[in-house]
Amino acid sequence: MGRAKRMERVVALTKQLTDHPHQLFSFSYFCKKFEIAKSTLSEDVLAVKTGLELYGLGRVETLAGAAGGVRFIPGRSAKEDHDFLQDLAIKLSVPDRILPGGLLYTTDLLCIPDVVVRLGEIIMKHTRHLEPDCIMTVETRGIPLALFVARAFNVPLVMARHSSQITEGSAVNINYVSGSSKMIQTMAMPKRALQPGSRVLMVDDFMKGGGTARGMLNLAKEVGAEVVGKAFMIVTAEPENKMVDDYTALFMLHSVNELENKIFIEPVQVKE
Amino acid sequence: MGRAKRMERVVALTKQLTDHPHQLFSFSYFCKKFEIAKSTLSEDVLAVKTGLELYGLGRVETLAGAAGGVRFIPGRSAKEDHDFLQDLAIKLSVPDRILPGGLLYTTDLLCIPDVVVRLGEIIMKHTRHLEPDCIMTVETRGIPLALFVARAFNVPLVMARHSSQITEGSAVNINYVSGSSKMIQTMAMPKRALQPGSRVLMVDDFMKGGGTARGMLNLAKEVGAEVVGKAFMIVTAEPENKMVDDYTALFMLHSVNELENKIFIEPVQVKE
């Protein structure tokens, strides 16, 4: 086996592993694909693992045994994540983002692929131990974030709606009270979207009172799914008591001051 | 420079390039990052290029000159794309997907990351020559697809809504007539979401009459953006005359027969 050939194979192995985060590939799959012996594959896998880890670009895990194989887990170093979130906090603090009513405009950042890929991977990292088998969100603004969390976990996304859709068949509907506005709202989910017993990680871009989150929680329970975790990009400092507890958040929004034209938002210190 | 070291570097280079599709990295960026001479980098880039192309995992382009650099363009071979779409057509033809009114349930497939990543890359491949600088869609079901098209192009996504949102500031609103139901509907977009002069690629999961697409078109024009293309995952065979023309589609839905419990959908033959 010449040197160039090995290099090309390792490039392809890198691409295929990193393209499918969390997917466990059997050793025999790659042995067959590359027409190589298992010992050679082991060396190649080690090269990918070392290369990615050396440059802080994620981890490669190998599992031994009959059900074993190799998989890629995305994620950067704690320092890189911290720097990324710090930088994003600065972007989120630009006074232009203040909307009437002391709201914060964030949609643009949530729709930049490079940004939301990283956010998705960071949320995955912090919630990985919960082992969700699907990600749930409610339309609309949280969808990009939730989708990239789903991508990082390699599990499907389930989207709740504010009304049931003819194009999605029969639905489960619940009513809930929005935490901040105290208005009664509806949330719906196609019956076929979520299986009973699913391990659901709820993801949304923003939480203030937690009413919407509570609604999602109830909707998931309604179909017999188990909500194993809740993750938000931004939570507000006020009100301190939310309608859901035990959640992961990346940013704490302390205040949006329309008069002084100032936003105070900072990354939440997460324990590794 | 030892062999192991080069291998690790090539792994990292592969990951970084493929993580940022379409992003042009200057040679000096990588020379500095890896602390290597330009000639060494050229060899490394060639290894990545050869490895990816050999296994049909995308292309690496190098641009010469002062504004030059290297970038990764995702995409598989025409045959692999064809096989993928053919396989998806079979999944889409399962009679379980028939909804009352002869509608087709597709949301689940559009929410599986591995599926929608590929769809996004295929749409990018077919529309690359249009050089869009943003992707536009309308909530909700088309968002995952549009987001992965945006990812493949490395450009932002812009989401139109069915009503203007307090959390997105002042908006441009239009009314439009839904092509199939003939109902008057509203579409809104935050004023700050789309810049005048932007080159917009419209993406949606489904088109029947084309009323919604027409609405998006008008909304984009309203803010002074230029719609350079329209791409849909599925278009229906009937009505033959849509309210928009000159579009890209991946699947043609010929019929959904509720009585006979049959769906006829097939990939559209696209010229390479």
Side-chain angles (χ1 to χ4, degrees), chain B:
Chain B
M1 192 75 57
R3 176 173 166 182
K5 195 144 187 195
R6 180 171 182 222
M7 192 68 87
E8 290 158 4
R9 209 170 57 218
V10 168
V11 165
L13 183 64
T14 303
K15 174 79 166 105
Q16 185 147 5
L17 281 173
T18 59
D19 261 359
H20 304 279
H22 273 98
Q23 186 176 320
L24 189 68
F25 291 94
S26 71
F27 293 112
S28 54
Y29 169 82
F30 282 125
C31 287
K32 199 175 158 200
K33 183 184 171 80
F34 294 122
E35 298 176 344
I36 51 176
K38 204 181 151 196
S39 56
T40 311
L41 178 66
S42 293
E43 281 174 34
D44 289 359
V45 166
L46 188 64
V48 177
K49 183 184 170 73
T50 313
L52 293 177
E53 286 177 12
L54 189 63
Y55 293 96
L57 296 167
R59 285 183 306 115
V60 169
E61 294 181 350
T62 51
L63 307 186
V70 53
R71 69 182 168 200
F72 169 70
I73 312 295
R76 308 295 178 95
S77 69
K79 181 180 181 313
E80 265 193 276
D81 285 351
H82 174 81
D83 291 350
F84 170 79
L85 294 176
Q86 204 73 50
D87 181 58
L88 202 53
I90 293 168
K91 289 186 180 136
L92 286 165
S93 306
V94 175
D96 274 3
R97 298 194 167 275
I98 300 178
L99 295 174
L103 296 166
L104 188 64
Y105 182 70
T106 60
T107 315
D108 58 334
L109 292 172
L110 284 166
C111 287
I112 296 175
D114 272 355
V115 172
V116 75
V117 165
R118 283 298 302 281
L119 290 173
E121 291 182 356
I122 294 172
I123 287 181
M124 181 277 291
K125 196 168 154 187
H126 293 321
T127 54
R128 192 183 166 201
H129 59 286
L130 303 170
E131 299 182 354
D133 56 28
C134 72
I135 308 299
M136 176 182 179
T137 193
V138 62
E139 60 185 355
T140 298
R141 215 178 46 233
I143 295 175
L145 178 64
L147 186 59
F148 277 106
V149 176
R151 167 86 171 125
F153 271 114
N154 191 31
V155 298
L157 171 70
V158 172
M159 301 185 289
R161 306 291 204 106
H162 289 299
S163 61
S164 53
Q165 300 292 315
I166 187 171
T167 51
E168 300 192 333
S170 54
V172 184
N173 288 268
I174 60 145
N175 293 314
Y176 69 101
V177 179
S178 157
S180 39
S181 68
K182 302 290 176 207
M183 302 239 298
I184 293 184
Q185 307 209 31
T186 306
M187 205 183 283
M189 197 164 51
K191 273 196 180 147
R192 50 177 95 198
L194 197 55
Q195 301 305 313
S198 301
R199 295 176 60 82
V200 176
L201 174 65
M202 278 168 39
V203 174
D204 212 352
D205 60 309
F206 195 85
M207 174 167 70
K208 190 176 179 185
T212 305
R214 183 95 229 155
M216 276 202 273
L217 206 65
N218 291 341
L219 193 53
K221 281 183 184 160
E222 195 64 39
V223 300
E226 182 192 354
V227 175
V228 294
K230 308 144 209 128
F232 304 90
M233 178 184 164
I234 302 173
V235 295
T236 56
E238 298 290 334
E240 203 180 321
N241 291 318
K242 314 289 192 196
M243 290 173 73
V244 296
D245 53 14
D246 221 5
Y247 52 83
T248 301
L250 301 186
F251 295 96
M252 173 73 78
L253 179 60
H254 293 279
S255 61
V256 178
N257 190 323
E258 280 184 272
L259 284 177
E260 295 180 15
N261 216 22
K262 273 187 188 157
I263 299 163
F264 178 24
I265 184 168
E266 58 176 6
V268 174
Q269 294 301 328
V270 192
K271 49 190 181 300
E272 283 298 311

Side-chain angles (χ1 to χ4, degrees), chain A residues 3 10 51 77 80-81 90 94 97 105 115 119 131 188 204 232 236:
Chain A
R3 176 172 166 183
V10 167
S77 69
E80 266 192 276
D81 285 351
I90 293 168
V94 174
R97 297 193 169 275
Y105 183 70
V115 172
L119 290 173
E131 297 181 355
D204 211 352
F232 304 91
T236 55

Side-chain angles (χ1 to χ4, degrees), chain A residues 17 21-22 57-61 71-75 124 128 152:
Chain A
L17 281 173
H22 273 98
L57 296 168
R59 283 182 308 115
V60 170
E61 294 181 350
R71 66 182 170 201
F72 169 70
I73 312 293
M124 181 278 290
R128 192 184 164 199

Side-chain angles (χ1 to χ4, degrees), chain A residues 64-101:
Chain A
V70 53
R71 66 182 170 201
F72 169 70
I73 312 293
R76 309 295 178 94
S77 69
K79 180 176 183 314
E80 266 192 276
D81 285 351
H82 177 259
D83 291 351
F84 170 78
L85 295 176
Q86 204 74 50
D87 181 59
L88 202 52
I90 293 168
K91 288 184 180 137
L92 286 165
S93 306
V94 174
D96 274 1
R97 297 193 169 275
I98 299 177
L99 295 174

